[in-house]
Amino acid sequence: MQNREREKLPTRSREKQDVSVMETNNSSIVSKRSVERLYFSNESHFFRYFVKKPQRRSPLINRGYWLRMKAIDFAVKEFLESSPGRRKVVINLGCGYDPLPFQCLARYPHLCHNAKFVDVDYPQLIERKCDIIEQTEQLVNLFSRPERLEFKGPVAFRSDQYLALGCDLRDLTTLHHALAEQVDLRDCELLFTAEVSLTYMNTEASDAVIKWAATLNQARFCLLEQILPDGKDQPFAQTMIRHFKKLQTPLHPIQKYPTLDDQKRRFQASGWAVPAARDLWSLWHDDSFLSPEERILLNAVEPFDEWEEFAQFASHYFMLYADNTGASLPKLAGRPTKSSGTPDATAKIPFPASADTAMSITFQENPKKLGLRRFGSAFGLRDGAVAVHGGMGSASRLDTSDVIGNESTNAGYSIKVSGLVPPRMCHTITTLGNGKHLMVGGRKSPEVALGDCWLHALEGQTWQAVDELDVPRYRHCATGVGVENVLVFGGKDSAGRALTEWLLWTERSGWQKVEINGAQPQARFGASMVATRSNEGILFGGMTEAGTILCESWEWSMDLENVRITFRNRSDELATSLEGRQCYGRFGAAVSQSQWGLTIIGGVSQSPLLNEENEIMIIKPGRSPVRSLRQPGFSPRPLLVGHSVHTTKDSILIFGGGAVCFSFGTHWNNGIWALTDQERTHHSWRFREEIAPGRYVPKDEKLGDGGDPAKKNHPPIPVPRIRISSARDFDDVVREAQPVIIEGLNVGECTNNWTSNEYLKDKVGTDRAITVHRATSRNMSFQQKQQKNFSYETMSLGSFLDEISGGAPLYLRSLSSEKPSEKPAELSQDFPALSPDWRLPDQLQVVKEHAHSSPLRISGPVNMWLHYDVMANVLVQIRSSKHLILYPPTDAVSLSFPPGSTTSPVNPFTDSDKIIANTHPQMAELHPSDVLFIPPLWPHCASPTSATSSSRTSPISTSASTGSPAPGATPRGTSEPSISVNVFFRSLASQHYSVGRDVYGNRDLVAYERGRVDVDRIAKRFEGLPGSIRAAYLRRLGAELITDADGQQE
């Protein structure tokens, strides 16, 4: 219907633009519907009737639209609460499909008994909106005396509570007459709202609307739209303006009225008294608008860590409230806004003049599509080169490093970082006095903080694993103290809590908690910290757990010998100075000591937004800050968010960074900015190369010793435990292809109901025949001397459960109940009576969409042999607990897998020496409702840990176990069944899987199966040659394959 109506529209330029403006409504309501579904679960949903195909937007877009919706709702509710007993009329100019009238009638029925809501928009759009209203019982029932009118005049729908006017806002005469005919304008109070609608009109037309509204008695006006707080060349502003131009809906008034002061003058000139204007970032920080508790609750809806981007968005949108009734300004007006400020003469913290500092700024563009990363961390290399490691790339988080250098640095660096080191962002890398660098924490998704730490030395260019953090964290701050110590404070953990503890790391002692002497800073993340002397420094800024930026500055002094820290709060000295607040009240700023003084670069502040004058500040005692990054003719301007900074002896280097600019596009800082002394000859810095990860070095291997890590024993590391809240989070898990244990998911009532053998017998049937494994020892083997040490046996479910309870070594891996040799197992079909108890969590949407099979596993006191699955899978523990040992796919060559086989004769539970050497085991312990993600081709084996009361096997050991039963021994005693559901799914493109029957989901990939055929053909080509020559050539070919494999791994 909409497409046909559009075809009837005139094709002249003005009408074409009208269509483009109307189409902005389609995008907006989809985003608002996304917000409604997530953030308003406890109230009636009205966007649903106007959005047929809902889409989940990104957390940033959801948070931005939530703030817009909250601001409009706040203003309307405050208006409805004012002047009790008076008739109220809310007129939504350029309403689109926004269901504001229905929301207010449902949310605030006690305030709406004497209120009327008026929607105004293009006639075509209003007609379609009224069609939907008329056809939707849930909407019409909110009105008394509803009437749909034949669409010949402006009035399309009316009732006691609602009026819909189809009228072009440029035709104010028609609008005024239609409104006056339906509403007694002399005997009511009016609130005009315009949420991002007048901005699409040319400036003269939108000014005319504002002037017309001011002529009406007892009127108020609430305007929400875009501004340019720092000019149109600010990168976020550029991206926003370009986006709307591309949509053929340019933002007109923003060119004439770019700032809050301009907008206030606009309304005053149009006849409105006392307009108040605030950007949405200022509203976000106002506790009278949004309490800290409400902000924290938002974080429970979906993980969120796009704070800088959110600040940029909210600083480029504003709310203006104008009034001609003579009433006092509403709460929404808040504190007066400031577009500029000067230092207060009483401020004790000095902000001195820059007359003695002359700086030169140069820019070098990166090669196309290289150097694009945000939230990485920089450190120095040999020959004066600089690297930035990790961060967020154009498509995913990175585990690579970019290297930049000048004309004196060499190429061909090889920083060795293991594939076991996960990609990360929001981590820190701190330079120690001895030339080493410590990498600490970071995150995958906002709910997956990392606790691993790595030490890098210039000698050997190798990262070495060191002691992990007790509490994984990201967005913490860190600085070097003394010669070989790193001080760490704050950050966020996986649960979203802001952290308050202080930690000290030394190479000799690892991590130690720092004792606090006296008052201390509150918990925060995203703060900045730097040592100004060997054991003294400052901490400033950061964000509370409630999402507001702290305007604080603390001096600290560290007693290294006693691991004790003392603070002095200097925050009160900033309160009277806007310049002081913008200098120290930042989130996500980079800070370092340079030859010019303390250098503070970028980040975001409380309102107003950091501008070109104060993005970079260089502080010296007794002088004012240097505050100009930009000089005449200097371009392009960077967006100083997620950037990295490194200080050399003669330069301050800025590289990387940028931001997702809401729904408008992504801005990348595509180059290197070098700040140097004008009076000195400076080097030209440029992008040199991107370094892929190299070899793994365990923490017990000496850095730079040149030894072969493949000959080392690598102790097992635990599989990380995480929480996820969305399908997107799990998509990230699958993409990173590392095992994780996911906690806190809803897997149904099975964790309660299946703990009873009698319940299982009753539901499934005691006599139900099943095929099980009966082992001759605890350790089942698929290839023990080429013979299985178990037999397949058909028995009743009741007998099976009874025997397990008596300690029998039995194991069930369910098969299809229809065609066990042809069809994969599926729990819902094979055990329909148990199926209602089980649910695959919603967050595992990709598993549902690409599922292959879902076998039920019930185990007595027996260990599953070492094997790998070609398909990815999730193992959901239902009853009892279970230990697993997992190995990365590259370890398969050390685990004695026969050619073409997915099972190994190696027994990790008894062959301790054999399993530890040359491999990198990871350990997982599963408890009920835990979900283990096992990536494709990861060898693993499993052992029930509560199977018997008389004997248990340690999951892995580096020496002979004293408590394990001898190989071949049959366990005795009582036993608790271990129950799990295993769901296999295809995580690769379908063409990679072998065609044909694959009941168990473990047929090797088609490339491997064909490759084995090719290997056989290659070997036959050398037949007839002497054995030594044949062997030499085959080994050379094998070496070429290994070299290629190593290159692929890097």
Side-chain angles (χ1 to χ4, degrees), residues 32-58:
K32 289 185 175 183
R33 172 58 177 149
S34 176
V35 174
E36 180 181 61
R37 296 177 72 202
L38 288 171
Y39 289 82
F40 296 96
S41 59
N42 295 325
E43 63 178 59
S44 299
H45 288 187
F46 295 104
F47 282 102
R48 65 187 303 176
Y49 304 116
F50 302 96
V51 179
K52 300 304 180 185
K53 294 182 178 180
Q55 302 174 32
R56 180 164 181 167
R57 298 299 202 199
S58 71

Side-chain angles (χ1 to χ4, degrees), residues 622-838:
R623 306 176 181 248
S624 17
V626 179
R627 298 181 304 163
S628 179
L629 170 64
R630 191 174 178 108
Q631 295 183 354
F634 173 68
S635 65
R637 181 177 172 184
L639 182 55
L640 294 177
V641 167
H643 54 292
S644 298
V645 170
H646 187 79
T647 302
T648 69
K649 63 181 180 180
D650 58 4
S651 301
I652 300 173
L653 305 175
I654 305 171
F655 43 95
V660 175
C661 300
F662 199 59
S663 59
F664 313 136
T666 300
H667 176 88
W668 291 100
N669 294 335
N670 187 28
I672 303 162
W673 289 261
L675 284 64
T676 58
D677 193 325
Q678 280 185 351
E679 298 177 358
R680 296 185 181 183
T681 302
H682 56 79
H683 296 291
S684 176
W685 292 87
R686 65 183 62 246
F687 181 93
R688 300 301 293 267
E689 59 185 313
E690 182 178 14
I691 304 173
R695 70 183 181 94
Y696 167 75
V697 182
K699 66 180 181 179
D700 58 351
E701 179 181 335
K702 183 179 178 181
L703 285 174
D705 65 358
D708 182 0
K711 296 181 180 178
K712 303 292 181 179
N713 286 343
H714 305 300
I717 60 174
V719 172
R721 285 184 167 270
I722 67 170
R723 287 178 176 263
I724 62 174
S725 61
S726 68
R728 181 176 299 173
D729 291 343
F730 186 71
D731 290 346
D732 288 342
V733 169
V734 175
R735 189 178 303 112
E736 290 169 9
Q738 295 288 320
V740 293
I741 300 171
I742 307 172
E743 302 175 326
L745 298 181
N746 180 9
V747 298
E749 290 300 313
C750 53
T751 53
N752 295 320
N753 295 342
W754 296 2
T755 57
S756 165
N757 285 355
E758 297 307 314
Y759 178 89
L760 296 173
K761 294 176 185 178
D762 180 63
K763 285 291 183 180
V764 178
T766 301
D767 297 329
R768 163 73 181 271
I770 55 175
T771 301
V772 303
H773 302 64
R774 183 181 291 276
T776 58
S777 74
R778 181 184 181 95
N779 297 299
M780 288 197 298
S781 173
F782 206 80
Q783 291 184 340
Q784 186 177 32
K785 296 180 181 180
Q786 308 304 317
Q787 297 293 326
K788 302 180 180 72
N789 69 341
F790 61 87
S791 60
Y792 297 107
E793 184 174 322
T794 300
M795 61 191 312
S796 68
L797 176 73
S799 299
F800 171 68
L801 293 173
D802 291 342
E803 287 201 42
I804 284 182
S805 298
L810 297 174
Y811 175 77
L812 168 68
R813 192 274 192 200
S814 68
L815 303 173
S816 168
S817 57
E818 297 179 3
K819 298 179 179 179
S821 62
E822 298 179 14
K823 291 184 60 177
E826 186 174 345
L827 182 70
S828 61
Q829 295 182 8
D830 304 331
F831 296 94
L834 294 180
S835 183
D837 295 340
W838 150 261

Side-chain angles (χ1 to χ4, degrees), residues 651 953 992:
S651 301
T953 301
H992 296 305

